[in-house]
Every structure is written in C-alpha cells, then in structure tokens.
Amino acid sequence: MNVAVLSHEGSVLGLGLGVLMADLWLPVTARRRLGYAAAIGLGLILCYSLLTVQLAPGEVRYAFGKMYALDELALFFKRFFLIGAMIVLLLSVEFADRFKSGVAEYYALILFALVGVLFASSADEFSLLFVSLD
C-alpha cells in the first residue's frame, strides 16, 4: 500500500487530534483561535495535495484490498471538501464566541467529519462507504 494514498485522511485525522490536545493546555481565551489554526492546517494539507499528489490520466491507486481507490475524481472531491471545511472553520470562529465551553471539541468534530467524507470520496466498495458514513 502506498503511504501517499492515505495522506489526506491521515493528515486531517492528526490535525483533529492535535486540536483536541491543544485544548488541554491552552488558556480559555486562546482556545477560540484554534479554529484559525485548524483552517491554516487544512490550507497546508491542501497545498501539500496540490504540490505532491499528481495522478496520470486514468491512474488509480488502491488501498485496503481495492476497497479504497484514489483516482482523479476522488482527488478533486478531496480538495473540494478541504476548501469547504476551511470555509466552515473560518466562519465558525466568529460564531464560537457564543459557546461557553467545548469550542475545541466543535472544531475537532468538523475535522473528524471531514475525515469520514474524505474516506467516502474514495470508497470503491459499499462496505467502506458504509463505514465512512458512520
């Protein structure tokens, strides 16, 4: 299995766990800025994707016994969902002032839902689609 095949999902999962871990040590006033940090992290993942993940026309990379397929269409939707999640995170930072607690969990929930959508965009079999939607 090629490690670069799962680079989007692994990077976003690591970013979500990093946001949760940063919530433990940051003061309450700085936790609201975690949304900006998460959006910047997604921007870096998107730049990495644009610069390093190149597929030849018709090329398909597989993982998990051909249940996961990375092709041009899946790569387009992964990048589209990354941009969409960046916009959602940036918009939610302004809304986060209304929360008394749990702001970092809210940002992490967005990132973990993004991981599921990224897996769903590469699902080549129904079983992986079902698991990614869960």
Side-chain angles (χ1 to χ4, degrees):
M1 174 172 55
N2 189 355
V3 177
V5 173
L6 298 172
S7 64
H8 297 94
E9 292 86 354
S11 301
V12 174
L13 182 65
L15 181 63
L17 291 174
V19 166
L20 283 178
M21 295 303 286
D23 180 47
L24 295 173
W25 291 288
L26 286 177
V28 177
T29 57
R31 290 181 186 165
R32 306 217 183 273
R33 287 185 239 134
L34 282 174
Y36 291 126
I40 290 170
L42 287 181
L44 292 175
I45 293 169
L46 179 65
C47 289
Y48 172 78
S49 171
L50 291 171
L51 294 175
T52 61
V53 181
Q54 302 295 329
L55 295 174
E59 179 186 3
V60 180
R61 297 179 187 171
Y62 293 104
F64 303 124
K66 293 192 175 183
M67 287 176 38
Y68 178 98
L70 181 66
D71 56 357
E72 294 172 341
L73 184 64
L75 192 59
F76 168 77
F77 277 107
K78 285 177 189 298
R79 292 172 179 165
F80 179 75
F81 293 140
L82 283 170
I83 293 170
M86 284 173 43
I87 293 170
V88 168
L89 283 169
L90 290 174
L91 291 174
S92 66
V93 170
E94 300 301 322
F95 184 75
D97 291 334
R98 299 180 185 180
F99 294 141
K100 292 183 181 180
S101 65
V103 176
E105 288 87 354
Y106 176 71
Y107 298 142
L109 181 65
I110 292 171
L111 293 173
F112 293 145
L114 177 62
V115 172
V117 171
L118 292 177
F119 269 115
S121 66
S122 290
D124 202 30
E125 290 188 12
F126 184 72
S127 57
L128 182 63
L129 181 65
F130 179 74
V131 169
S132 65
L133 290 178
D134 279 346

